[in-house]
Amino acid sequence: MTGTEVREAVTRAHQEEWARVVASLTRRFGDLDIAEEAAAEAFATAVQRWPDDGVPPNPGGWLTTTAVRKAIDRIRRESKRDDKHREARMVHDDGPPEPAGAVDDDRLRLIFTCCHPALAAQTRVALTLRMVGGLTVPEIARAFLVADTAMERRITRAKAKIKAARIPYRVPSAEDLPARVSGVLAVLYLVFNEGYLASGPGTDPVRADLTTEAIRLTRLVRALLPGDGEAAGLLALMLLTEARRSARVSAGGELVPLAEQDRGAWDAALIAEGHRLVRERLAAAAGGVAPGRYQILAAINAVHTSARDMRDTDWSQVLALYDQLVRLDASPVIALNRAIAVAEVDGPEVAMAAVDRLEGELAGYHAYHATRADLLRRLRRGHEARAAYDRAIELAGNTAETAYLARRRDQLR
Amino acid sequence: MRYLFSVIHDRPTLATPEEDAAIDVFNERLQAEGNWVFAGGLAAPDTATVVDNRSAEALVTDGPFLESKEYLAGFWIIEAADLDVALALATDGSKACNRKIEVRPFL
């Protein structure tokens, strides 16, 4: 085996096995910190040993065994100090002896623990990327534009709280499950959106590392919770959005709006997979299962990705889906996106009236001003459009979006 | 595992008779289900006295150690298997006493 092949094997094992190793060690030793450290040491050992010893036939098994040994070493070292760690365990391994397939359940336990509502939203994101995604602390720190030491502190504090407050390591009860799954999906959607519309002035406008990671983790959640419609919906939404990624920013680093995107550059395979999931959920909806917000958003994106161009788009279908979404979630941001569909169905004047009603709540949101600017431009109210573009540029954090808005403003007569 | 439920309040009012009745029902349930350790309501913060004997001479001061709008109005100490159980109890406790509750584990 060449050095490249070994490196690829390590990378693949990291992607496929990291969460499994951390999850099964957490169950066994009842301590996230021990599990994380032992998993990291096991992968470091693989990097050292596999080039000489060869890649083991069962890399996951090798990594788990190695990690277990590292964990036992650490516990022995620490138990010289005291026996307290045994009492401080967060896990009560109350289940029967592990049946086959219990490892998958362990990964699910791990996800629910990392996304526990008693942790702050940003902490849930960081902890999920570290424990489930296997990103390093500096990688996560870079993703959220904070110093390594600050991110390290946040993760350390979270692990300490999980242990001290005994945040359980288990899949929530049926009664709590829908709310808790929705919390997990919110974390994954946050990661995806930060990648898709990176907010910092110093970052790339689209962070493929984050969108790819969010999709990978959502695939995992979907596989672990195959009956959950919203998990399928979120995966479809991400796939249909990601499919347009390369067409969304021009070579010059400017955001390309949907109407102007080269639809031939969209990723046909991702679109096909997304459409399959949307059809699956439509069939469930026809059977009487009410769709949640991710499923509706995915359906909206399915309409867009089915159209040859902007004019071919079934806007009345898009509007009907937004009406359905507004009934679920009456937030002003949804109302703003609905107004964009209204502009296509009923014209910019009707849409303008709907947008103006949102001023009180959205005056500080760049997309509100960008939407107004576009509608004002179409209504030939150039002076007002210019002011709205100025405000949108002031508020927008994404570099590609700022460039696009500036060009549009400068094209006004 | 033991947790302290601190009842946080921001107005100088005691529990109403309805709140007292709801707290009684909640307490009986805690006892019946084995979560009860101890609980109590506290008199207003301006009845507090602070003693500081860290130095050579004990210092006695009138009033609470911290002037703040929110104050500790009472507490429960409960026994629960884990934080999920504790949070579910705190959710019902907050409804019963009609005040915010901070949940904190004992060491």
Side-chain angles (χ1 to χ4, degrees):
Chain A
M1 215 177 249
T2 67
T4 315
E5 282 170 327
V6 173
R7 267 196 303 281
E8 278 170 11
V10 172
T11 306
R12 200 165 48 244
H14 192 265
Q15 283 182 358
E16 289 169 3
E17 306 294 345
W18 169 270
R20 241 189 275 268
V21 175
V22 173
S24 74
L25 263 77
T26 306
R27 182 180 166 92
R28 178 156 175 173
F29 296 103
D31 189 307
L32 267 183
D33 198 39
I34 289 176
E36 176 203 6
E37 191 185 88
E41 282 179 30
F43 278 93
T45 309
V47 170
Q48 279 173 7
R49 296 255 302 271
W50 291 4
D52 295 331
D53 299 359
V55 177
N58 173 2
W62 187 97
L63 287 161
T64 303
T65 310
T66 308
V68 165
R69 251 183 245 131
K70 304 276 181 199
I72 290 172
D73 287 349
R74 171 169 163 186
I75 290 167
R76 284 213 183 104
R77 280 198 308 275
E78 288 184 353
S79 63
K80 281 185 197 147
R81 284 208 311 265
D82 57 35
D83 273 348
K84 255 196 153 171
H85 68 276
R86 261 190 277 277
E87 293 164 41
R89 283 183 181 184
M90 81 177 175
V91 173
H92 1 291
D93 196 348
D94 45 8
E98 281 187 58
V103 177
D104 282 346
D105 290 353
D106 282 345
R107 282 187 298 176
L108 204 49
R109 287 163 186 244
L110 185 62
I111 291 169
F112 279 113
T113 301
C114 292
C115 296
H116 197 277
L119 301 169
Q122 278 186 317
T123 304
R124 292 179 219 169
V125 170
L127 205 58
T128 302
L129 288 175
R130 176 71 192 126
M131 299 298 165
V132 188
L135 271 64
T136 63
V137 171
E139 280 170 339
I140 302 167
R142 253 199 316 284
F144 295 96
L145 306 172
V146 302
D148 289 7
T149 48
M151 185 53 76
E152 182 78 59
R153 265 200 308 278
R154 186 182 299 172
I155 291 177
T156 304
R157 194 186 153 271
K159 287 187 293 191
K161 176 168 181 181
I162 287 169
K163 193 167 171 171
R166 203 183 276 197
I167 288 180
Y169 189 56
R170 68 158 172 257
V171 176
S173 62
E175 183 191 344
D176 296 338
L177 196 61
R180 293 287 306 279
V181 171
S182 131
V184 169
L185 298 180
V187 164
L188 300 175
Y189 196 36
L190 255 173
V191 174
F192 184 84
N193 279 334
E194 185 50 36
Y196 199 67
L197 203 63
S199 51
T203 62
D204 291 337
V206 180
R207 303 277 312 275
D209 51 342
L210 288 179
T211 58
T212 308
E213 186 59 25
I215 288 174
R216 196 172 75 81
L217 294 176
T218 308
R219 277 188 199 286
L220 175 63
V221 171
R222 149 95 178 141
L224 295 172
L225 296 167
D228 191 279
E230 281 292 83
L234 180 59
L235 179 57
L237 172 60
M238 287 182 183
L239 293 171
L240 295 175
T241 311
E242 176 79 356
R244 307 197 296 259
R245 174 158 58 84
S246 61
R248 208 166 142 270
V249 178
S250 72
E254 193 179 290
L255 194 79
V256 184
L258 188 59
E260 294 167 25
Q261 284 176 20
D262 170 12
R263 297 185 179 218
W266 289 357
D267 186 321
L270 291 182
I271 289 176
E273 191 188 352
H275 284 185
R276 262 200 309 282
L277 286 164
V278 170
R279 277 197 299 275
E280 179 192 309
R281 295 319 304 162
L282 285 175
V289 185
R293 62 190 298 255
Y294 296 124
Q295 292 168 74
I296 299 173
L297 284 168
I300 291 169
N301 279 275
V303 176
H304 286 307
T305 45
S306 302
R308 279 191 308 276
D309 56 38
M310 193 74 169
R311 285 169 57 194
D312 181 49
T313 304
D314 186 349
W315 284 102
S316 57
Q317 178 66 34
V318 172
L319 186 55
L321 287 163
Y322 269 116
D323 287 340
Q324 205 179 341
L325 192 55
V326 167
R327 282 196 293 276
L328 272 187
D329 178 356
S331 79
V333 173
I334 304 249
L336 179 68
N337 288 320
R338 180 183 173 277
I340 295 170
V342 168
E344 301 304 322
V345 176
D346 299 322
E349 204 146 351
V350 182
M352 194 66 220
V355 169
D356 279 338
R357 281 196 294 274
L358 303 171
E359 192 192 354
E361 288 162 296
L362 295 183
Y365 182 46
H366 75 275
Y368 165 77
H369 297 283
T371 306
R372 277 194 81 228
D374 189 57
L375 293 172
L376 289 164
R377 177 186 63 77
R378 287 158 72 175
L379 291 167
R380 299 183 189 287
R381 286 158 64 179
H383 196 67
E384 291 164 89
R386 180 177 298 278
Y389 277 121
D390 284 341
R391 188 78 186 114
I393 291 163
E394 235 172 87
L395 293 168
N398 184 275
T399 50
E401 197 166 12
T402 315
Y404 163 72
L405 292 168
R407 179 171 65 82
R408 268 298 162 89
R409 178 193 57 196
D410 298 342
Q411 281 170 347
L412 286 173
R413 276 170 294 149
Chain B
M1 183 80 184
R2 280 187 181 180
Y3 295 88
L4 174 67
F5 288 6
S6 302
V7 177
I8 315 288
H9 197 41
D10 58 5
R11 284 184 304 275
T13 49
L14 294 172
T16 64
E18 292 78 27
E19 287 163 359
D20 274 334
I23 292 167
D24 285 345
V25 172
F26 180 65
N27 285 342
E28 278 158 27
R29 192 187 120 202
L30 288 177
Q31 285 164 357
E33 294 176 5
N35 303 109
W36 171 273
V37 178
F38 192 73
L42 298 171
D46 57 15
T47 63
T49 310
V50 176
V51 179
D52 184 354
N53 194 20
R54 290 172 299 179
S55 314
E57 202 178 343
L59 209 64
V60 177
T61 330
D62 176 28
F65 76 98
L66 204 74
E67 288 289 350
S68 71
K69 194 165 151 33
E70 294 192 319
Y71 67 93
L72 185 68
F75 64 90
W76 277 278
I77 296 170
I78 63 120
E79 182 71 44
D82 57 46
L83 188 67
D84 280 359
V85 176
L87 293 180
L89 289 172
T91 305
D92 294 341
S94 167
K95 180 70 84 187
C97 70
N98 193 29
R99 281 149 179 72
K100 283 198 294 192
I101 290 181
E102 182 199 83
V103 178
R104 217 161 134 187
F106 278 82
L107 274 176

